[in-house]
């Protein structure tokens, strides 16, 4: 039987330094937690092929580590993104307060024409850490007020909700005005992963 056609979809992780963006990408793509190698060699994106609701996509996940170097590269980094994962750390209220700036900056530099319908997924990372500075309700309220949802509480350390959040990002893209038609076909499809169950979205 013929393989389903794969599409390339660009997802970008944005948020303050230290909230766990590289760790989330690494956890999702390699299922490892240590990001030392990433930071050392300056990984900018990783590809992950997956199947969501019967559709095979190659998700190209862009990390924005190395904030200083990255600032001059915002336009090429942001442009062409199909989904933006706005990330903060649940044990750092300032990173939560900065989400609005990240969203605004993304809309400007990515030149998003219709921000109200653009897929933003919000990640409150480090849910494994006991002492949180941001409550689930505060985060959900921010998402409602800012048209950014769904909201996931994740842990790159113990993998809580990481796959669910990335898979939901794909779903949001595919659901947006049949954007699947705009995605770039890729030739190779060699990994079919079943969507996971038992994960929760806030
Ligand atoms: P980035 O600058 O946003 O890419 O953040 P990093 O991925 O480099 O992570 C910053 C620090 O937070 C590192 O020490 C990570 O080990 C740690 N970290 C990342 N994610 C988690 C998490 O889910 N739980 C905990 N406890 N620590 C995390």
């Amino acid at each position: 039987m013929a393989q389903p056609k794969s599409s390339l979809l660009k997802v970008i992780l944005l948020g303050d330094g230290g909230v766990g963006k590289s760790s989330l990408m690494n956890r999702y793509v390699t299922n490892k937690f240590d990001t030392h190698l990433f930071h050392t060699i300056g990984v900018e994106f990783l590809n992950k092929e997956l199947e969501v609701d019967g559709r095979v996509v190659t998700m190209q996940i862009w990390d924005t580590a190395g904030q200083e170097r990255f600032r001059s590269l915002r336009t090429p980094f942001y442009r062409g993104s199909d989904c933006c994962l706005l990330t903060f750390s649940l044990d750092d209220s300032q990173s939560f307060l900065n989400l609005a700036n990240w969203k605004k900056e993304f809309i400007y530099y990515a030149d998003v024409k219709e921000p109200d319908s653009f897929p933003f997924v919000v990640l409150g990372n480090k849910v494994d850490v006991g002492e949180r500075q941001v409550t689930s309700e505060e985060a959900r309220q921010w998402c409602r007020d800012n048209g950014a949802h769904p909201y996931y509480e994740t842990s790159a350390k113990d993998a809580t909700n990481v796959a669910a959040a990335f898979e939901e990002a794909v779903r949001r893209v595919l659901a947006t005005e049949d954007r699947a038609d705009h995605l770039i076909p890729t030739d190779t499809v060699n990994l079919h992963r079943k969507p996971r169950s038992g994960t929760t979205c806030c």
Side-chain angles (χ1 to χ4, degrees):
M1 200 168 68
Q3 298 274 25
K5 198 167 76 173
S6 179
S7 304
L8 185 65
L9 181 158
K10 178 176 176 180
V11 173
I12 187 163
L13 283 154
L14 285 188
D16 285 4
V19 299
K21 300 181 298 297
S22 302
S23 302
L24 286 162
M25 177 171 81
N26 190 31
R27 167 61 73 191
Y28 183 53
V29 177
T30 73
N31 201 23
K32 296 195 175 101
F33 180 56
D34 179 13
T35 52
H36 178 69
L37 183 63
F38 276 28
H39 288 312
T40 307
I41 63 174
V43 169
E44 288 170 344
F45 68 83
L46 291 178
N47 283 353
K48 169 93 171 172
E49 288 176 319
L50 72 157
E51 184 180 330
V52 172
D53 302 336
R55 169 118 199 185
V56 180
V57 300
T58 299
M59 187 168 13
Q60 189 170 84
I61 305 167
W62 286 67
D63 182 18
T64 49
Q67 309 290 324
E68 292 312 314
R69 185 177 64 88
F70 156 73
R71 292 197 82 73
S72 61
L73 294 170
R74 278 177 293 194
T75 299
F77 261 74
Y78 291 7
R79 285 273 165 97
S81 297
D82 295 295
C83 181
C84 177
L85 299 176
L86 293 169
T87 310
F88 71 98
S89 178
L90 287 160
D91 69 351
D92 176 2
S93 56
Q94 191 57 49
S95 70
F96 174 63
L97 293 174
N98 287 340
L99 281 188
N101 292 335
W102 284 109
K103 182 170 181 253
K104 200 163 33 167
E105 181 174 305
F106 174 78
I107 289 168
Y108 179 78
Y109 284 99
D111 195 22
V112 176
K113 302 291 185 211
E114 295 176 21
D116 290 347
S117 59
F118 189 87
F120 288 97
V121 175
V122 180
L123 308 185
N125 191 41
K126 305 193 187 181
V127 68
D128 61 281
V129 175
E131 294 166 22
R132 57 156 79 205
Q133 294 184 359
V134 182
T135 67
S136 300
E137 188 43 40
E138 283 172 320
R140 285 195 204 97
Q141 188 60 49
W142 187 90
C143 292
R144 283 193 288 272
D145 292 346
N146 289 274
H149 56 83
Y151 168 60
Y152 284 89
E153 298 199 333
T154 59
S155 168
K157 186 174 183 182
D158 67 17
T160 300
N161 272 339
V162 176
F166 280 103
E167 287 167 8
E168 183 59 22
V170 172
R171 282 196 191 90
R172 294 274 287 114
V173 175
L174 297 181
T176 306
E177 57 160 339
D178 198 20
R179 289 176 63 109
D181 287 343
H182 307 298
L183 301 178
I184 305 162
T186 57
D187 294 323
T188 50
V189 178
N190 50 26
L191 175 64
H192 289 261
R193 240 170 19 83
K194 295 276 177 227
R196 296 187 190 181
S197 58
T199 48
T200 54
C201 164
C202 305

